[in-house]
Amino acid sequence: MSQTSALRLHVPEPKARPGEATDFSGLVIPAAGVLKRPPIDEPDHSMRDYAFGMIRVLDEAGAAVGEWDPKLTPEMLKAGLRYMLTTRTYDERMMRVQRQGKTSFYMKCTGEEAVAVAQAMALDRGDMLFPSYRQQGLLIAREHSLVDMMCQVYNNTKDRLKGRQLPVMYSSKDSGFFSISGNLGTQFPQAVGWAMASAIKGDTRIAASWVGDGTTAEADFHYALTFATVYQAPVVLNVVNNQWAISTFQGFAGGEQTTFAARAIGYGLPGLRVDGNDFLAVYAATKWAADRARNNLGPTLIELYTYRAAPHSTSDDPSAYRPDDEFKRWPLGDPIERLKQHMERIGIWSEAEHTALLAQVDDDVRAAQKEAEGYGTLGVKPASAASMFEDVYKDVPQHLIRQRQELGV
Amino acid sequence: MSQTSALRLHVPEPKARPGEATDFSGLVIPAAGVLKRPPIDEPDHSMRDYAFGMIRVLDEAGAAVGEWDPKLTPEMLKAGLRYMLTTRTYDERMMRVQRQGKTSFYMKCTGEEAVAVAQAMALDRGDMLFPSYRQQGLLIAREHSLVDMMCQVYNNTKDRLKGRQLPVMYSSKDSGFFSISGNLGTQFPQAVGWAMASAIKGDTRIAASWVGDGTTAEADFHYALTFATVYQAPVVLNVVNNQWAISTFQGFAGGEQTTFAARAIGYGLPGLRVDGNDFLAVYAATKWAADRARNNLGPTLIELYTYRAAPHSTSDDPSAYRPDDEFKRWPLGDPIERLKQHMERIGIWSEAEHTALLAQVDDDVRAAQKEAEGYGTLGVKPASAASMFEDVYKDVPQHLIRQRQELGV
Amino acid sequence: MATMNMIQAINSAMDVMLERDRGTVVFGEDVGYFGGVFRCTAGLQKKYGKERVFDAPIAEGGILATAIGMGVYGLRPVVEIQFADYIYPAFDQLVSEAARLRYRSGGEFWAPITVRSPCGGGIFGGQTHSQSPEAVFTHVCGLKTVIPSNPVDAKGLLIAAIEDDDPVVFFEPKRIYNGPFEGYHDRPLVPWSKHPLGEVPDGYYRIELGKAAIVREGAAVTVLAYGTMVHVAQAGAAEAGVDAEIIDLRTLVPLDIDCIVASVKKTGRCVIVHEATKTSGFGAELMAQVQELCFAHLEAPIVRVTGWDTPYPHAFEWEYFPGPDRVKRALLKVMEG
Amino acid sequence: MATMNMIQAINSAMDVMLERDRGTVVFGEDVGYFGGVFRCTAGLQKKYGKERVFDAPIAEGGILATAIGMGVYGLRPVVEIQFADYIYPAFDQLVSEAARLRYRSGGEFWAPITVRSPCGGGIFGGQTHSQSPEAVFTHVCGLKTVIPSNPVDAKGLLIAAIEDDDPVVFFEPKRIYNGPFEGYHDRPLVPWSKHPLGEVPDGYYRIELGKAAIVREGAAVTVLAYGTMVHVAQAGAAEAGVDAEIIDLRTLVPLDIDCIVASVKKTGRCVIVHEATKTSGFGAELMAQVQELCFAHLEAPIVRVTGWDTPYPHAFEWEYFPGPDRVKRALLKVMEG
Ligand SMILES: Cc1ncc(C[n+]2csc(CCOP(=O)(O)OP(=O)(O)O)c2C)c(N)n1
Ligand SMILES: Cc1ncc(C[n+]2csc(CCOP(=O)(O)OP(=O)(O)O)c2C)c(N)n1
Ligand SMILES: [Mg+2]
Ligand SMILES: [Mg+2]
């Protein structure tokens, strides 16, 4: 066969741009409950279909169906709902304080709350988390102090990061939450290294890490999968496919041609594609992968299929590049609403309880805010400027002492 | 399921170490001719099996079987054989001159000749090649002057690269052969960019690039596949899996868990795994991928399954890390012997002709060597030292003029 | 002639080159449909089509690598790295490939690429949106490094960079995108529309790479600066009340050493100002060259005013930023010495 | 006490640390079963098992990233980058991550990693096996940079680097692996076994990072050098017949500036020698600091002897290499000035 026409560059295009109505009819959403749950020692090569299907537990009516139903206790479901609501409320409040000028920057995870919350709950407390900037739900589900989180956002006198980091770049050793980097993706292979260390030491703790769909294009994604497969590291690697990377849709990371879970196949790992707005599915898939890792059966890649309902950050205006109502029309719905519907359906939750919980969460967040603001907002410095010269090295070297003196602090 | 035992690090181990006999019985070598040849517009998702099978045309008896038989003319088969023999002879001679101290370094491609030679022949003369250091066969199949190649190896007065590059780091714009980098893998995404440019311009030329199995772990491999799939670039991306990367076997690049062709699946590309010692299979697979690219149907990843019979380079001693006779026991044999067997079988070649060809090739290489050495060997400088300051920039800037003056040249 | 801020001037440079030369292509993260997070490429995709102005995967190394391939093909790629802090994943392709290609191929292949990237602090960007990594590029032979300080220069230099047949790293101090910033973060920003250098010719013009500009003539001391610091230096000199000769380097490599030497020989004193961290910053090279070439003329030690050797801390941005007060003190010290 | 070349000394340092500290792990390309292309890790896998000494995928960035993760876990990874020329793919993880982790986490996380890598030319390695990229690392706050010049130092400094809780980049000048090289490529190499600094204690000892060594006391001029150039400087001084005080910096960051200043104040003259390219090389920073702190004592301009601002060309290796003759000429020039 010979050349028929001139070559042309293909440039991906999302389904809709501002002013248009997104047509989701081409989006294949498999029914809940259809996929089997394989044993955790299933070889990766017999699991390739999981990268192209979608693990879903909650059906349209809110029933939990199929083998992947993790059969959580009512207490766990209630806790999950509470963490998700807290995350959303926290986000809204912090967004507002940024608008009020009390801090410089904020990033919400609205619409994606099930990802971090269910995953934190499916992992052990000793497991180490290497998140991106959009998994604040991990901290909340680990019951990390909201006040402490806010103090970082405000860069105030109680900011444990000493005012050094942009808001939302949390870090907490106590909560097993690794310092967030501004540089996309760098944490992914670091998590693999941490997991390798745990294996080298003959320990039992595993690692988990998160990147966005856009970030999969970075080198670190490839390093992570390569080292994970070579050394069969005990790690759960997650791609949060929320469809957008600032203004570019996931097609610019390769999502037009196949799924992100499919990347796993190329490295000989199981790749699970999961309904990221289905709390039960996210929990179940994560637990499966964690058990697999913990039993020396190697790493798993999970794609969490969701939607970034929020702007990228407070610096972003999505109405410039996507239809405003796209989230509302997102076929996989809202993770909070879906879990609520399920709990109501199985009779452990009511509208009244929900209203009460909302009020309580709101109070909690308000109280935390009040306390945090008592320690100051951006501009009320967390430490003396002398602290600027600390922690560059373990001990402050002579040249930094001289520079500190030059600054006169 | 809970934790049953302590974690442990998996560290890959090749089948055999020095003194042991490699057991190849676990290696699945599919029979020749069993895979169908899909049309070039076959969607990638219906081609996943090609990443795990193996395209093979020549059977054990030397017959060309199955749909992938490219049905080459006797002239092409003879040319292929001649190029492969020339490549092998050239390699042996250059290795020897390095041992004689006439140059500092050399790298052979023994056992892998079919890869570069068949691929060069399957591509168009205008297509641009972005090779690694082990595809000297591309130049030879494009009938690039052996003398010119040798002058580079000798860094002599006729070295067009002005003595700047390590031997074997050829570059030839005329032959559409991109400058070889010492840094592994960097050319892979550059080839994609070149192909994108051809598409942007509405041209008809495509690009091809090569990396080794070990090099697939580098970031550039991932960049290449990502950009290739996103923009559907007209490029043929090749992984030469010769089982070794200096002293580490392909398991350290992920080859223990799956094939390298499988990487393609994760990016939504067709991935073809090919018997790299089967001249006809290599030609056919490359032609298929090139036709696909040329018809705006996008990129293809090809894994060429072969064996590095040679030491990594003249600086390497493989007997320190692998059984000495592994190549002789390699199940896919010798590409030259296999093509010769086929040609004899179909009656277009004889032992006598072969002997004559060998003698002729030997004469050619000797004559080229004689001429090249007439222009000097390492130490006989290709230019004045002043040339050292040229080509850093298009025009020599003031500070380099001053430095040249300081050197006094 | 139009009034432009630096964003518009940079946009205009690309617009002009996309118009003049079919080989010019522009790509990077968010630069296509959206027009870039700082809007530097706004409107260009619409005007020139998405085959010539397009979004890229989030892979700075891949962006550089494909740009090199396109350059080898014969195009003139202009790529954006969203923040200079994120240029490091592309470092290998820049240093090992773009910078060496012409040399190692004996002059047969080259990559005429331009790498645009916003640099510098002062916008509450924290440690990963404030860096000034220019020094490391100046150490890499084969690269040219440019940092404009105003709209007129930005456009003329960017056009020259795009037309240049060598790879050029073009840093844009984001703090001065909208107006000249003298370092007084508590005063309102004067927009470029109120500044003479905000008057920018509409069409094609170039400012040669490798030529510095004397932004203020003076006899007492030479101040070497670039980017945002050109404005801070002016403020600092005014505060000090010193008759400083202020030189805007504009291009770091190749450096306009003749202009520097002539000035220092005249003044006998020198202060160097940059925002980047001190140790092995470009100030060190400047200081080295000045002492090599003007030793006998120096009446006092040269002084560097730079960022501290720490990351750029979010809450202590203004303690970190080398503002006019520090420049003033350096000038007074040099005048004493 | 044993006779060791630098390879053996480096091997011994890792051996000692693998023995003393269960947290020490060693990995990199070809370092496991084979023992490294320069044999620096020979025998270690056999002795400590393949879970602690192992081969790695060819992905320098992945090696650094996983090392950081291991460091965070509490291990002390020692990784090898096969050639310094190939460290750039790991640059982002070093600069953006290893160097900043302690700072950005408020001191809660850090990565006590050691990155070993052979650097420098003189072995006919061509432009991709000869580079000396130390300067760019010295510009990165949070990193320490070490370059030994002999077996005793190599072992003691490497042990100190491994024990250090900050990330350390440890460059090994490959030209002196087997013997001190004075720059006379046409003379036979004297092995370390014939040199007093080839006498290396068997067990544990450390040489503190940040301390220079005066390898030759002198009164006429101070020569600052490191790595291979320490030996070249000695040869150059001998050829010049000048009473040079030769300082082996050993650690570039943190720099032993007190030692340097004391010497230059004594001699009043200074020559700086390195193999790396000139512009923005570490020589610039050294020159800057010397002029900042010793201005009044300087009797002549400081002179740099460095590699040219070009790649390292294979056939012109010895025209590129800054040999004793160039050092001699610099010394004579400084003595005149
Ligand atoms: C190395 C690097 N390149 C670019 C950026 C700028 N940037 C910040 S967030 C972002 C988009 C990330 O998208 P995605 O990975 O999908 O995550 P999401 O924001 O959707 O959670 C970009 C390009 C960065 N922070 N780091
Ligand atoms: C970036 C980089 N890292 C490391 C090296 C050193 N190196 C040269 S060849 C090689 C092995 C490559 O193996 P493979 O990709 O399988 O190719 P092969 O030699 O088998 O053809 C290594 C590690 C290099 N040249 N570049
Ligand atoms: Mg996203
Ligand atoms: Mg190989």
Side-chain angles (χ1 to χ4, degrees):
Chain A
M1 183 158 181
S2 64
Q3 169 67 22
T4 50
S5 65
L7 293 169
R8 55 175 189 276
L9 190 74
H10 170 78
V11 180
E13 206 45 74
K15 289 193 211 304
R17 287 297 192 184
E20 299 168 357
T22 317
D23 175 11
F24 285 115
S25 62
L27 198 69
V28 183
I29 306 285
V34 297
L35 285 177
K36 301 228 161 299
R37 184 183 190 282
I40 59 166
D41 58 357
E42 186 78 4
D44 71 278
H45 58 77
S46 43
M47 290 190 61
R48 289 182 193 135
D49 289 347
Y50 288 85
F52 304 106
M54 198 182 283
I55 297 174
R56 305 184 70 217
V57 172
L58 290 172
D59 70 13
E60 276 55 43
V65 294
E67 292 183 8
W68 282 94
D69 178 6
K71 306 233 159 52
L72 300 181
T73 61
E75 288 61 44
M76 289 191 76
L77 294 174
K78 287 177 192 172
L81 188 67
R82 181 160 54 81
Y83 295 143
M84 288 202 285
L85 277 173
T86 305
T87 304
R88 188 166 293 181
T89 307
Y90 175 84
D91 270 358
E92 270 156 25
R93 195 143 283 276
M94 290 298 98
M95 182 87 159
R96 201 175 314 161
V97 305
Q98 191 276 342
R99 297 285 184 230
Q100 293 165 352
K102 291 179 181 169
T103 190
S104 61
F105 180 81
Y106 193 72
M107 296 177 108
K108 294 165 77 177
C109 67
T110 311
E112 308 173 35
E113 292 89 348
V115 170
V117 169
Q119 296 203 277
M121 292 176 71
L123 292 162
D124 281 2
R125 190 60 172 72
D127 294 340
M128 187 71 189
L129 315 176
F130 291 79
S132 93
Y133 46 72
R134 222 180 284 283
Q135 283 81 49
Q136 47 269 60
L138 294 171
L139 279 172
I140 289 173
R142 283 197 167 176
E143 309 210 331
H144 190 88
S145 145
L146 291 181
V147 175
D148 187 71
M149 290 171 70
M150 287 173 176
C151 291
Q152 196 281 320
V153 170
Y154 288 128
N155 271 199
N156 67 16
T157 58
K158 288 255 176 167
D159 173 11
R160 285 181 305 102
L161 308 188
K162 307 180 191 173
R164 292 175 188 153
Q165 281 276 55
L166 208 59
V168 317
M169 303 284 162
Y170 311 108
S171 171
S172 170
K173 195 163 194 164
D174 275 355
S175 290
F177 185 98
F178 185 68
S179 156
I180 297 173
S181 175
N183 299 60
L184 293 171
T186 46
Q187 73 282 3
F188 223 46
Q190 290 167 1
V192 174
W194 194 97
M196 287 170 67
S198 185
I200 290 169
K201 281 294 203 181
D203 194 353
T204 59
R205 295 187 298 161
I206 67 167
S209 189
W210 288 262
V211 289
D213 46 300
T215 305
T216 59
E218 290 285 9
D220 288 309
F221 179 79
H222 178 55
Y223 298 148
L225 290 176
T226 303
F227 281 70
T229 195
V230 166
Y231 302 106
Q232 292 290 295
V235 64
V236 181
L237 295 169
N238 302 292
V239 175
V240 185
N241 179 0
N242 64 5
Q243 312 297 318
W244 292 92
I246 310 185
S247 75
T248 56
F249 85 114
Q250 41 120 349
F252 280 97
E256 246 186 7
Q257 306 297 332
T258 190
T259 72
F260 292 99
R263 292 280 167 86
I265 297 172
Y267 300 86
L269 304 180
L272 308 179
R273 191 152 165 267
V274 180
D275 177 346
N277 289 6
D278 175 341
F279 185 89
L280 298 181
V282 174
Y283 183 97
T286 310
K287 188 82 176 65
W288 185 91
D291 283 346
R292 186 172 172 104
R294 222 178 290 285
N295 282 278
N296 268 313
L297 296 162
T300 301
L301 181 72
I302 302 180
E303 173 181 355
L304 299 133
Y305 203 70
T306 181
Y307 188 92
R308 194 197 79 207
H312 172 69
S313 74
T314 46
S315 312
D316 179 46
D317 172 16
S319 73
Y321 53 80
R322 69 182 187 187
D324 255 342
D325 64 344
E326 213 176 65
F327 171 52
K328 288 180 206 117
R329 308 179 57 253
W330 177 244
L332 294 175
D334 177 330
I336 295 183
E337 289 306 316
R338 284 175 68 192
L339 181 58
K340 172 171 172 265
Q341 180 197 26
H342 171 64
M343 288 165 66
E344 285 171 355
R345 187 187 162 105
I346 63 173
I348 64 164
W349 201 243
S350 69
E351 201 57 52
E353 281 169 301
H354 198 74
T355 309
L357 177 60
L358 263 177
Q360 191 209 310
V361 160
D362 202 58
D363 284 354
D364 290 352
V365 172
R366 268 174 208 278
Q369 184 190 356
K370 201 166 164 220
E371 181 180 344
E373 291 190 1
Y375 307 127
T377 55
L378 188 65
V380 182
K381 301 293 165 70
S384 105
S387 73
M388 186 160 72
F389 300 93
E390 289 160 14
D391 298 328
V392 180
Y393 298 92
K394 186 180 182 197
D395 304 309
V396 184
Q398 209 190 24
H399 68 283
L400 283 177
I401 294 174
R402 293 208 176 121
Q403 292 182 16
R404 197 188 67 209
Q405 288 162 347
E406 193 183 329
L407 180 60
V409 293
Chain B
M1 185 158 179
S2 64
Q3 168 68 24
T4 51
S5 65
L7 294 168
R8 54 175 192 278
L9 190 75
H10 171 77
V11 180
E13 204 45 74
K15 289 195 212 303
R17 288 298 192 184
E20 298 168 0
T22 316
D23 175 10
F24 284 115
S25 64
L27 197 70
V28 182
I29 305 286
V34 297
L35 285 177
K36 301 228 158 300
R37 185 182 189 281
I40 59 166
D41 58 357
E42 186 79 1
D44 71 278
H45 57 78
S46 43
M47 289 190 62
R48 289 184 192 133
D49 288 347
Y50 289 85
F52 304 105
M54 196 181 283
I55 297 174
R56 304 184 71 217
V57 172
L58 290 172
D59 70 11
E60 274 56 41
V65 294
E67 293 184 7
W68 283 94
D69 178 6
K71 307 233 159 52
L72 300 182
T73 62
E75 287 62 44
M76 290 191 74
L77 294 174
K78 286 178 192 171
L81 188 66
R82 181 161 53 82
Y83 295 143
M84 289 202 285
L85 277 173
T86 305
T87 305
R88 187 166 294 181
T89 307
Y90 174 84
D91 271 358
E92 270 157 24
R93 194 144 285 276
M94 290 298 100
M95 182 86 159
R96 200 176 315 161
V97 304
Q98 191 277 341
R99 297 286 185 231
Q100 293 165 352
K102 291 179 182 169
T103 189
S104 62
F105 180 80
Y106 193 72
M107 295 176 108
K108 294 165 79 178
C109 66
T110 312
E112 307 173 37
E113 291 89 348
V115 170
V117 169
Q119 295 204 278
M121 290 175 71
L123 291 162
D124 281 1
R125 191 58 174 71
D127 295 339
M128 186 72 189
L129 315 176
F130 290 79
S132 92
Y133 45 72
R134 222 181 285 283
Q135 283 81 49
Q136 47 270 58
L138 294 171
L139 280 171
I140 288 171
R142 284 197 166 176
E143 308 208 332
H144 189 89
S145 143
L146 292 182
V147 175
D148 187 71
M149 292 171 68
M150 287 175 176
C151 289
Q152 196 284 319
V153 170
Y154 287 129
N155 270 200
N156 65 16
T157 57
K158 288 254 176 167
D159 173 10
R160 284 181 305 102
L161 308 188
K162 307 178 191 174
R164 292 177 187 151
Q165 282 276 57
L166 207 60
V168 318
M169 303 284 162
Y170 311 108
S171 172
S172 169
K173 195 163 193 164
D174 275 356
S175 292
F177 185 99
F178 186 67
S179 155
I180 297 172
S181 176
N183 298 60
L184 292 171
T186 46
Q187 74 281 4
F188 223 46
Q190 290 166 0
V192 174
W194 194 97
M196 288 171 67
S198 185
I200 289 170
K201 281 292 203 182
D203 193 354
T204 59
R205 295 187 298 162
I206 68 167
S209 189
W210 288 262
V211 290
D213 47 301
T215 304
T216 61
E218 290 285 8
D220 289 310
F221 179 78
H222 178 55
Y223 298 148
L225 290 177
T226 302
F227 281 68
T229 195
V230 166
Y231 303 106
Q232 292 290 295
V235 63
V236 181
L237 295 169
N238 302 293
V239 175
V240 185
N241 179 359
N242 64 6
Q243 313 296 320
W244 291 92
I246 310 186
S247 76
T248 56
F249 85 114
Q250 42 120 349
F252 280 97
E256 244 186 7
Q257 306 296 332
T258 190
T259 72
F260 293 99
R263 292 280 168 85
I265 297 173
Y267 300 86
L269 305 180
L272 309 179
R273 192 152 165 269
V274 180
D275 176 347
N277 289 5
D278 175 341
F279 184 89
L280 297 181
V282 174
Y283 183 97
T286 309
K287 188 81 175 64
W288 184 92
D291 284 346
R292 186 171 171 106
R294 221 178 291 286
N295 283 278
N296 268 313
L297 296 163
T300 301
L301 181 72
I302 302 179
E303 173 182 354
L304 300 133
Y305 202 71
T306 179
Y307 189 92
R308 193 197 80 205
H312 172 69
S313 73
T314 46
S315 311
D316 179 46
D317 172 16
S319 72
Y321 53 79
R322 69 180 189 190
D324 253 342
D325 64 345
E326 214 176 64
F327 171 53
K328 288 181 204 116
R329 306 179 58 252
W330 178 243
L332 294 175
D334 177 329
I336 294 181
E337 289 306 315
R338 285 175 67 193
L339 181 59
K340 172 171 171 263
Q341 180 198 27
H342 170 65
M343 288 164 67
E344 286 170 353
R345 190 189 160 101
I346 62 172
I348 64 163
W349 200 243
S350 68
E351 203 56 55
E353 280 169 302
H354 198 73
T355 309
L357 176 60
L358 264 176
Q360 189 209 312
V361 161
D362 203 59
D363 283 353
D364 291 350
V365 172
R366 269 176 207 276
Q369 184 191 356
K370 199 165 166 223
E371 181 180 345
E373 291 190 2
Y375 307 127
T377 56
L378 187 65
V380 181
K381 301 294 165 71
S384 106
S387 73
M388 185 160 73
F389 300 92
E390 290 161 14
D391 298 327
V392 181
Y393 297 93
K394 187 178 181 197
D395 304 309
V396 184
Q398 210 189 26
H399 68 282
L400 283 178
I401 294 174
R402 292 208 178 120
Q403 291 183 16
R404 196 189 67 207
Q405 288 162 347
E406 194 183 329
L407 179 60
V409 292
Chain C
M1 216 41 131
T3 293
M4 297 187 195
N5 62 23
M6 268 179 82
I7 292 168
Q8 293 161 327
I10 285 160
N11 184 288
S12 173
M14 287 185 274
D15 192 356
V16 164
M17 288 309 299
L18 282 159
E19 181 77 46
R20 277 173 75 95
D21 179 354
R22 269 280 309 158
T24 305
V25 292
V26 171
F27 67 105
E29 296 159 19
D30 300 293
V31 311
Y33 184 88
F34 183 58
V37 295
F38 289 103
R39 326 293 305 130
C40 289
T41 56
L44 298 178
Q45 182 177 79
K46 202 155 185 188
K47 195 158 168 194
Y48 298 100
K50 65 178 189 168
E51 293 209 345
R52 293 184 62 208
V53 180
F54 49 88
D55 289 312
I58 305 175
E60 293 76 12
I63 290 171
L64 251 292
T66 51
I68 292 170
M70 292 177 201
V72 168
Y73 188 93
L75 304 186
R76 290 198 178 276
V78 185
V79 299
E80 176 176 305
I81 299 297
Q82 203 163 81
F83 287 88
D85 315 63
Y86 305 139
I87 203 167
Y88 303 120
F91 201 62
D92 187 47
Q93 282 284 344
L94 263 166
V95 173
S96 306
E97 298 294 317
R100 290 163 177 269
L101 183 52
R102 185 190 295 279
Y103 197 78
R104 74 172 201 233
S105 69
E108 275 198 353
F109 296 109
W110 62 89
I113 61 179
T114 304
V115 183
R116 293 181 38 248
S117 192
C119 71
I123 59 148
F124 268 119
Q127 53 117 6
T128 55
H129 302 87
S130 304
Q131 293 168 45
S132 295
E134 67 277 2
V136 297
F137 298 97
T138 65
H139 187 45
V140 180
C141 57
L143 297 183
K144 297 181 175 173
T145 304
V146 177
I147 310 187
S149 72
N150 62 69
V152 178
D153 282 2
K155 179 169 172 182
L157 289 166
L158 183 52
I159 286 175
I162 297 172
E163 290 189 330
D164 202 281
D165 282 332
D166 293 313
V168 181
V169 183
F170 189 90
F171 286 118
E172 303 167 2
K174 59 180 105 66
R175 188 59 180 85
I176 55 171
Y177 267 154
N178 292 308
F181 179 68
E182 299 188 330
Y184 303 108
H185 57 92
D186 37 12
R187 300 187 194 165
L189 187 81
V190 179
W192 280 115
S193 57
K194 303 245 166 85
H195 192 284
L197 295 172
E199 285 292 300
V200 178
D202 283 312
Y204 171 89
Y205 68 97
R206 358 179 332 142
I207 294 179
E208 208 184 322
L209 304 188
K211 293 279 167 234
I214 297 177
V215 296
R216 184 192 187 285
E217 296 205 7
V221 50
T222 301
V223 181
L224 306 179
Y226 48 89
T228 306
M229 291 302 133
V230 170
H231 307 284
V232 174
Q234 287 172 275
E239 282 201 22
V242 168
D243 183 24
E245 177 141 302
I246 300 176
I247 299 180
D248 177 355
L249 299 178
R250 306 201 289 196
T251 304
L252 308 193
V253 173
L255 183 68
D256 191 351
I257 187 68
D258 294 345
C259 170
I260 296 169
V261 167
S263 177
V264 176
K265 285 195 172 159
K266 177 175 78 175
T267 63
R269 295 168 205 272
C270 183
V271 167
I272 296 163
V273 194
H274 63 61
E275 196 177 346
T277 52
K278 184 173 194 172
T279 302
S280 295
F282 193 63
E285 178 61 30
L286 290 171
M287 205 186 263
Q289 293 200 29
V290 170
Q291 93 84 40
E292 282 167 343
L293 300 168
C294 311
F295 183 78
H297 297 78
L298 285 174
E299 287 165 40
I302 309 164
V303 172
R304 289 184 277 183
V305 180
T306 71
W308 310 118
D309 282 324
T310 78
Y312 217 120
H314 186 248
F316 294 103
E317 179 155 84
W318 300 116
E319 286 81 358
Y320 186 94
F321 188 92
D325 184 57
R326 284 184 58 206
V327 175
K328 175 183 106 183
R329 283 191 279 143
L331 286 167
L332 296 178
K333 185 172 160 199
V334 167
M335 291 314 297
E336 267 167 33
Chain D
M1 214 45 129
T3 293
M4 296 187 196
N5 62 24
M6 271 181 77
I7 292 167
Q8 293 161 328
I10 286 160
N11 184 288
S12 173
M14 288 185 273
D15 191 356
V16 164
M17 289 309 298
L18 283 159
E19 180 79 45
R20 278 174 74 97
D21 179 353
R22 268 281 308 160
T24 305
V25 293
V26 171
F27 66 106
E29 297 158 19
D30 300 294
V31 311
Y33 184 87
F34 183 57
V37 295
F38 288 103
R39 325 294 304 133
C40 289
T41 56
L44 298 178
Q45 180 176 82
K46 202 155 185 189
K47 194 159 170 192
Y48 298 100
K50 66 177 189 169
E51 294 208 344
R52 292 184 63 208
V53 180
F54 49 88
D55 289 312
I58 304 174
E60 292 77 11
I63 290 170
L64 251 293
T66 50
I68 291 171
M70 292 178 201
V72 168
Y73 188 93
L75 304 186
R76 292 197 177 275
V78 184
V79 300
E80 176 176 306
I81 300 296
Q82 202 163 83
F83 287 87
D85 315 62
Y86 305 139
I87 202 168
Y88 303 120
F91 201 60
D92 187 47
Q93 283 283 345
L94 263 166
V95 173
S96 306
E97 299 295 315
R100 290 163 177 268
L101 183 52
R102 186 190 295 277
Y103 196 78
R104 73 172 201 235
S105 69
E108 275 197 355
F109 296 110
W110 62 89
I113 61 178
T114 304
V115 182
R116 294 180 39 246
S117 192
C119 72
I123 59 147
F124 267 119
Q127 53 116 7
T128 56
H129 302 85
S130 303
Q131 293 169 44
S132 295
E134 65 278 2
V136 296
F137 299 96
T138 64
H139 188 45
V140 180
C141 57
L143 297 183
K144 296 182 177 172
T145 303
V146 178
I147 310 187
S149 72
N150 61 69
V152 178
D153 283 1
K155 179 171 174 183
L157 289 165
L158 182 52
I159 287 176
I162 297 172
E163 290 189 330
D164 202 282
D165 282 332
D166 293 312
V168 180
V169 183
F170 189 92
F171 287 117
E172 303 167 0
K174 60 179 103 65
R175 189 58 179 85
I176 55 171
Y177 268 154
N178 292 308
F181 179 67
E182 300 188 326
Y184 303 108
H185 56 92
D186 37 12
R187 300 189 192 163
L189 186 80
V190 179
W192 281 115
S193 57
K194 303 245 167 85
H195 193 283
L197 295 172
E199 285 292 301
V200 179
D202 283 312
Y204 172 89
Y205 68 97
R206 355 178 335 139
I207 293 179
E208 209 184 321
L209 304 188
K211 293 280 167 234
I214 298 176
V215 297
R216 183 189 188 285
E217 296 205 6
V221 49
T222 301
V223 181
L224 305 180
Y226 48 90
T228 306
M229 290 302 133
V230 171
H231 307 284
V232 174
Q234 286 172 275
E239 282 202 21
V242 169
D243 183 23
E245 177 141 303
I246 300 175
I247 299 181
D248 177 355
L249 299 177
R250 304 201 290 196
T251 304
L252 308 193
V253 174
L255 183 67
D256 191 349
I257 187 65
D258 294 345
C259 170
I260 296 170
V261 168
S263 176
V264 176
K265 285 196 173 159
K266 179 176 76 175
T267 63
R269 296 168 203 271
C270 182
V271 167
I272 296 163
V273 193
H274 62 62
E275 196 177 345
T277 53
K278 183 173 194 174
T279 302
S280 294
F282 193 63
E285 178 60 31
L286 290 171
M287 207 186 263
Q289 293 200 29
V290 170
Q291 93 84 40
E292 280 166 345
L293 300 167
C294 310
F295 184 78
H297 296 78
L298 284 174
E299 287 164 41
I302 309 163
V303 172
R304 289 184 276 184
V305 179
T306 71
W308 311 116
D309 281 325
T310 77
Y312 217 120
H314 185 248
F316 294 102
E317 180 155 84
W318 300 114
E319 286 81 357
Y320 185 95
F321 188 92
D325 184 58
R326 284 185 56 207
V327 175
K328 174 182 108 184
R329 283 190 279 143
L331 286 168
L332 295 178
K333 183 172 163 198
V334 168
M335 290 316 297
E336 268 167 31

